[in-house]
């Protein structure tokens, strides 16, 4: 079985794996969100394999439901689950960082293989490649503050690498489940949110470059 929690917004639902950071999908109902999560197994498997992990999840089992809000309906998970407050052992932390680093690598490769101008959505919306990559980096810089990692706006590859190394260092430590800084995010939730945002934009870029 594959443990999943659901984040319930007013109009939409996120289904998020409790065991695989970044494997989260959205739908207009609980069942549609779970169906979308299962549909993306082949695509998430590429992330797991890049991290050196075998990915063969079973049927989803809902272990928790959390209240979402307008951010949920907008298309981003916003609420840590109770399970995120459980301790994170060393082996889970190392595995989590491997998955996040794999997502960063795949984003770089996807961007390199994509044209600057991406196909627009049905209403003409959507960022082009470079703006999408910059959006991911700036969002990550914001997320990083939730775990005590603070950087000025990223201006070069060295600055990005430094920030990501610090993120990996914090999330790679065992945790008692409490946020690493006051008012911050639990490590497990931070890892999920960071990985989800990178992976979601990898898939968007892949879908819009054809």
């Amino acid at each position: 079985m594959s443990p999943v929690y659901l984040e319930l917004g007013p109009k939409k639902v996120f289904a998020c794996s409790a065991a695989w950071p970044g494997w989260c999908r959205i739908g207009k109902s609980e069942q549609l969100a779970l169906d979308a999560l299962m549909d993306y197994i082949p695509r998430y498997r590429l992330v797991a394999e890049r991290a050196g992990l075998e990915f063969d999840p079973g049927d989803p089992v809902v272990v928790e439901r959390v209240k979402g809000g307008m951010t949920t309906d907008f298309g981003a998970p916003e609420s840590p689950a109770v399970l995120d407050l459980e301790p994170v052992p060393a082996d889970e932390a190392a595995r989590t960082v491997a998955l996040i680093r794999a997502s960063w690598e795949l984003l770089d490769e996807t961007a390199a293989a994509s044209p600057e101008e991406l196909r627009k959505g049905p209403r003409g919306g959507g960022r082009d490649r470079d703006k999408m990559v910059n959006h991911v980096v700036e969002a990550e810089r914001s997320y990083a503050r939730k775990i005590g990692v603070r950087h000025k706006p990223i201006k070069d590859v060295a600055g990005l690498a430094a920030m990501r190394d610090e993120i990996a260092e914090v999330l790679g430590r065992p945790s008692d489940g409490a946020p690493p800084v006051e008012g911050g995010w639990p490590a497990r939730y931070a890892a999920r949110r960071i990985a989800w945002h990178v992976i979601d934009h990898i898939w968007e870029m892949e879908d819009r470059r054809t």
Side-chain angles (χ1 to χ4, degrees):
M1 298 295 183
S2 185
V4 171
Y5 79 89
L6 301 177
E7 181 178 308
L8 310 176
K11 297 180 180 179
K12 294 185 180 179
V13 178
F14 259 100
C16 294
S17 170
W20 294 94
W23 185 32
C24 303
R25 300 316 293 159
I26 195 169
K28 292 183 179 180
S29 69
E30 292 189 9
Q31 190 58 53
L32 289 174
L34 290 167
D35 290 346
L37 191 71
M38 294 297 102
D39 288 344
Y40 273 73
I41 286 175
R43 298 181 83 168
Y44 190 87
R45 182 173 287 119
L46 298 177
V47 181
E49 289 176 347
R50 176 60 63 93
L53 301 169
E54 183 178 348
F55 180 64
D56 189 21
D59 293 335
V61 175
V62 177
V63 295
E64 187 177 342
R65 288 173 172 83
V66 300
K67 183 179 180 180
M70 296 305 296
T71 301
T72 314
D73 284 357
F74 180 74
E78 70 172 41
S79 302
V82 173
L83 59 85
D84 291 328
L85 299 175
E86 297 174 0
V88 179
D91 58 346
E92 180 184 340
R95 176 178 172 275
T96 292
V97 168
L99 288 163
I100 293 173
R101 287 196 178 279
S103 72
W104 288 334
E105 289 179 9
L106 289 169
L107 176 63
D108 289 345
E109 292 174 12
T110 303
S114 300
E116 164 57 17
E117 186 173 339
L118 300 173
R119 177 172 49 82
K120 301 303 180 186
R123 298 181 182 177
R127 299 176 182 87
D128 285 328
R129 181 196 63 200
D130 291 353
K131 287 186 177 180
M132 190 185 300
V133 171
N134 290 338
H135 162 72
V136 170
V137 171
E138 277 304 297
E140 211 162 272
R141 192 169 70 88
S142 175
Y143 299 160
R145 291 198 291 269
K146 295 292 189 176
I147 55 171
V149 174
R150 295 183 174 273
H151 277 255
K152 294 180 179 179
I154 305 300
K155 296 182 178 180
D156 52 34
V157 173
L160 178 59
M163 180 181 73
R164 286 179 166 172
D165 282 347
E166 286 190 47
I167 290 172
E169 196 277 328
V170 173
L171 297 180
R173 301 176 198 149
S175 167
D176 63 3
V181 294
E182 185 176 354
W185 289 342
R188 188 178 281 113
Y189 175 76
R192 185 183 309 114
R193 182 71 177 265
I194 290 168
W196 164 79
H197 195 238
V198 176
I199 293 167
D200 190 62
H201 282 295
I202 291 171
W203 292 340
E204 180 189 357
M205 195 179 298
E206 290 174 343
D207 291 344
R208 292 179 52 223
R209 71 187 181 189
T210 57

